[in-house]
Amino acid sequence: MDVLAFTREMIPDVIDFERRLRVEEPFYNWEIDEAYQKRVEETFDDPRFGNAVSLLAYENGRVVGRIDGSVIASRFDGSVNAYLDWICVIKSSRHAGIAQALLAELRCRMKQAGAAQMIALMAANEEAQRFYRAVERASIHDEGIWIDL
């Protein structure tokens, strides 16, 4: 398995991954269509995504997992932290260390970017809860809230 930075050339691989993910777990609530692909393509030209870090796990030439985060800086206390936005491994490839490898690489890259810690909202499903509770050198604090703008 290889963990690689997500580049524009890998968009077809990500589209394939997202479609396979929905076949195995049809509860994801957004469609992988031309509009989705266009939004993803546009992120590679949009300066607002300059602090985004996206990694893909490849196995046998196909994406089997992805992780997305960003570096966030705050003038509140001069801190630089990281935010883990999304981590997912295709169901048929889970429990093989892929998510752990993705998280380890993201941690490394965020540390290199100057982040002191990484913050994540924990998904409510049982499998995600088990994963997050097993993350080494981590502790669970506070509750998350999603605020519409």
Side-chain angles (χ1 to χ4, degrees), residues 6-9 11 37-52 54:
F6 178 15
T7 63
R8 181 188 304 267
E9 296 76 27
I11 292 173
Q37 183 169 338
K38 185 176 188 289
R39 285 191 310 273
V40 172
E41 288 170 353
E42 289 170 348
T43 67
F44 289 95
D45 297 319
D46 189 331
R48 294 177 296 175
F49 292 85
N51 291 330
S54 300

Side-chain angles (χ1 to χ4, degrees), residues 29-124:
N29 295 326
W30 66 93
E31 195 173 333
I32 304 305
D33 55 12
E34 287 180 21
Y36 171 83
Q37 183 169 338
K38 185 176 188 289
R39 285 191 310 273
V40 172
E41 288 170 353
E42 289 170 348
T43 67
F44 289 95
D45 297 319
D46 189 331
R48 294 177 296 175
F49 292 85
N51 291 330
V53 178
S54 300
L55 306 170
L56 304 175
Y58 277 84
E59 201 166 66
N60 299 319
R62 294 182 94 179
V63 175
V64 293
R66 68 180 288 184
I67 192 167
D68 294 85
S70 60
V71 176
I72 51 176
S74 175
R75 290 192 175 100
F76 160 67
D77 59 359
S79 64
V80 177
N81 292 302
Y83 172 65
L84 169 58
D85 183 47
W86 178 253
I87 182 169
C88 188
V89 174
I90 200 158
K91 189 169 187 163
S92 59
S93 296
R94 290 182 189 156
H95 310 292
I98 295 167
Q100 291 84 350
L102 284 165
L103 184 58
E105 182 63 22
L106 183 65
R107 285 173 108 159
C108 180
R109 289 178 186 238
M110 292 303 193
K111 187 173 183 177
Q112 289 172 347
Q117 67 181 352
M118 186 158 40
I119 300 162
L121 294 173
M122 294 172 53

Side-chain angles (χ1 to χ4, degrees), residues 16 49 86 115 127 147:
D16 175 65
F49 292 85
W86 178 253
E127 194 169 18
I147 303 170

